[in-house]
Amino acid sequence: CNTSGVPSRKMPGCTIPRMFRGAVGTIARTQNSHPMAFPLDWLAEELETLDRLELRRHLKVRTQPQGATIDWEGESLVNFGSNDYLGLAADPRLANAATEVLQATGLGAGASPLITGRGVWHARLEQQLAEWEGTEAALLFSSGFAANSSVIAALADRGDIVFSDSKNHASIIDGTRLSRATVRVYPHADMDYLAKLLSQSGTFRRRLIVTDSLFSMDGDIAPLPELVRLAHDHNAMLMVDEAHATGVFGAQGRGLCEQFGVEDEVPIRVGTLSKALGGHGGFVVGSRNLIDWLTNRARGYVFSTAAPEPICAAMLAALEIVRNEPTRRTALLESAQQLRADLRAQGWFLGESTSQIIPILLGSPATCLRFSAWLRERGFLVPGIRPPTVPEGESLLRISLCHGHTPAIRDDLLAALAVARETIATP
């Protein structure tokens, strides 16, 4: 009999119950010249490696709603870490809508939407999303991550090829891997390279191009008109994830496909409810055939319990605000433009950001953490983003500008960064 909890080859049914393994392990160590290893012993060493590289994350507790300021681990901080771009996460109109429906429907959906989980409020939200996006149908997912990974895997398989931007979100990367298709990653926004890859893809059954519209760490924008042209020229499906653009860009707030005027030429569009709309979940919009196919083949939809209906009611309230209060997004983008100009005037390198996401590119994780910690000591939460979230050598401070950041708050941050630039050594 062994001590690992795995049946022995000699005695197939013999295992040590979990509650006794520590005692048995102690006995084994006294009988052998070296300690016996257990299956998870490697974790301590790997965590020490993360510590040494300054890449280990630690969970912290927020004790008040999302907003321009938050209480985080007992500190009151100006919050530049949230994706609550329109300031809706704590809007009482969303909370009131959810509370009212909660009393009528309860909380849990109980099952997958295909079994007994889909309710009236799920159907209403999907109908409103489709109408807002100008498509035939929409489908809700438990998260934007689930939407991306599930949709790609449902549209591509062995014998197909997927083309993915090198800076796409992790959910897209995972989706390409789950698809079992051949995957070609093209350099960030390099349309010439993508054209070359597409020209060599004639032997594949289907071709799928997938991209973020607004890249979540760099704050720059995909060349959507060029992507549409390449997809048309090479008979490829085109999927665009509007997660960070939904609610912020476009005349009606639908995102960058709307802003560029290419919505009708992007047949697969993904959005999220958890950023500018202030809630939780993801969605896909497109043709009726697309949504019917995903209903049957998107594993993250088929095998997930439906979201609570009160969330759907809150998201309907959020859509109404996005429609009726366009100044939220226009003022946000004007504020971001001003902040970018002021930061560049101080000498910071911001890459190609043209959005409410403003990265200060610093390079090394250690430098990034020093700046982030310095700012936190002075009351600003500006997250330091390190690998694997960004590539090696591209660690950055990510400033996420939101509706509640007044000009005075913005000026305070600029003043702090000016001092930080003179105070903290950089490589």
Side-chain angles (χ1 to χ4, degrees):
C1 191
N2 65 27
T3 60
S4 67
V6 178
S8 166
R9 290 183 180 178
K10 293 182 179 180
M11 301 179 65
C14 181
T15 62
I16 301 297
R18 184 180 299 273
M19 68 180 70
F20 299 127
R21 288 179 204 162
V24 174
T26 301
I27 295 170
R29 284 191 288 272
T30 64
Q31 296 174 343
N32 294 281
S33 60
H34 59 275
M36 178 172 288
F38 285 91
L40 294 180
D41 283 354
W42 60 272
L43 287 172
E45 183 178 347
E46 293 297 325
L47 287 169
E48 288 175 3
T49 299
L50 290 181
D51 282 331
R52 187 170 62 255
L53 298 174
E54 301 194 71
L55 297 178
R56 186 172 179 177
R57 277 79 165 169
H58 299 277
L59 291 171
K60 300 183 186 298
V61 177
R62 170 176 51 81
T63 56
Q64 71 181 66
Q66 287 288 351
T69 60
I70 58 169
D71 193 295
W72 206 46
E73 295 285 295
E75 297 178 84
S76 180
L77 300 171
V78 180
N79 181 14
F80 286 101
S82 171
N83 296 323
D84 180 28
Y85 301 127
L86 298 183
L88 298 182
D91 192 296
R93 290 171 288 184
L94 274 63
N96 291 340
T99 300
E100 184 176 340
V101 171
L102 177 63
Q103 299 302 320
T105 67
L107 184 62
S112 161
L114 289 172
I115 307 301
T116 62
R118 190 168 187 258
V120 170
W121 291 94
H122 297 110
R124 288 179 181 173
L125 179 55
E126 287 175 344
Q127 180 184 1
Q128 286 297 307
L129 284 168
E131 290 181 6
W132 182 51
E133 294 275 4
T135 60
E136 292 179 349
L139 193 66
L140 294 173
F141 283 80
S142 58
S143 67
F145 198 109
N148 274 333
S149 57
S150 301
V151 170
I152 295 169
L155 294 176
D157 206 333
R158 290 191 179 97
D160 301 328
I161 186 167
V162 180
F163 304 92
S164 178
D165 191 288
S166 63
K167 291 199 172 181
N168 276 339
H169 189 264
S171 57
I172 293 175
I173 295 170
D174 285 4
T176 65
R177 293 169 177 169
L178 289 169
S179 73
R180 302 180 295 185
T182 298
V183 180
R184 296 287 182 266
V185 178
Y186 58 91
H188 181 48
D190 189 334
M191 295 298 96
D192 291 337
Y193 197 99
L194 176 58
K196 181 179 179 180
L197 292 176
L198 284 163
S199 68
Q200 299 168 351
S201 66
T203 59
F204 291 91
R205 180 183 60 167
R206 300 187 187 115
R207 285 155 293 284
L208 170 64
I209 304 169
V210 58
T211 185
D212 286 320
S213 66
L214 173 56
F215 293 91
S216 61
M217 293 297 113
D218 291 78
D220 61 337
I221 293 171
L224 293 177
E226 290 86 347
L227 285 163
V228 164
R229 178 182 58 79
L230 287 174
H232 180 268
D233 290 348
H234 295 274
N235 192 30
M237 300 176 285
L238 178 57
M239 172 178 162
V240 174
D241 176 17
E242 294 266 35
H244 290 269
T246 299
V248 177
F249 285 89
Q252 304 301 318
R254 295 193 294 263
L256 285 158
C257 288
E258 180 193 12
Q259 180 148 318
F260 281 108
V262 297
E263 287 178 297
D264 292 342
E265 299 168 278
V266 179
I268 311 148
R269 302 204 301 277
V270 178
T272 184
L273 306 170
S274 62
K275 295 178 175 61
L277 296 185
H280 188 76
F283 64 90
V284 181
V285 296
S287 68
R288 170 54 60 188
N289 283 342
L290 170 68
I291 300 307
D292 285 351
W293 176 254
L294 296 177
T295 301
N296 285 274
R297 286 293 183 267
R299 292 172 66 85
Y301 180 82
V302 174
F303 297 103
S304 290
T305 298
E309 285 189 85
I311 291 178
C312 298
M315 294 302 90
L316 285 168
L319 283 178
E320 194 69 16
I321 294 169
V322 170
R323 290 191 187 102
N324 295 335
E325 299 180 18
T327 55
R328 283 179 178 263
R329 56 181 170 272
T330 56
L332 171 64
L333 292 174
E334 289 170 3
S335 179
Q337 183 178 12
Q338 183 62 57
L339 180 57
R340 286 194 307 272
D342 292 339
L343 287 169
R344 288 190 170 113
Q346 286 187 359
W348 300 103
F349 179 51
L350 311 181
E352 301 299 322
S353 170
T354 56
S355 70
Q356 77 279 10
I357 300 167
I358 305 173
I360 295 179
L361 301 168
L362 296 172
S364 77
T367 302
C368 191
L369 289 180
R370 282 199 298 273
F371 273 94
S372 183
W374 191 94
L375 288 167
R376 181 173 173 179
E377 289 172 359
R378 285 148 185 83
F380 299 94
L381 175 57
V382 182
I385 309 297
R386 299 157 286 159
T389 307
V390 293
E392 293 286 342
E394 296 186 21
S395 292
L396 54 89
L397 294 176
R398 183 182 185 269
I399 299 171
S400 181
L401 204 62
C402 298
H403 173 72
H405 292 138
T406 63
I409 289 175
R410 191 179 67 212
D411 290 344
D412 288 344
L413 176 65
L414 282 166
L417 284 167
V419 175
R421 187 174 176 83
E422 300 298 324
T423 304
I424 302 174
T426 59

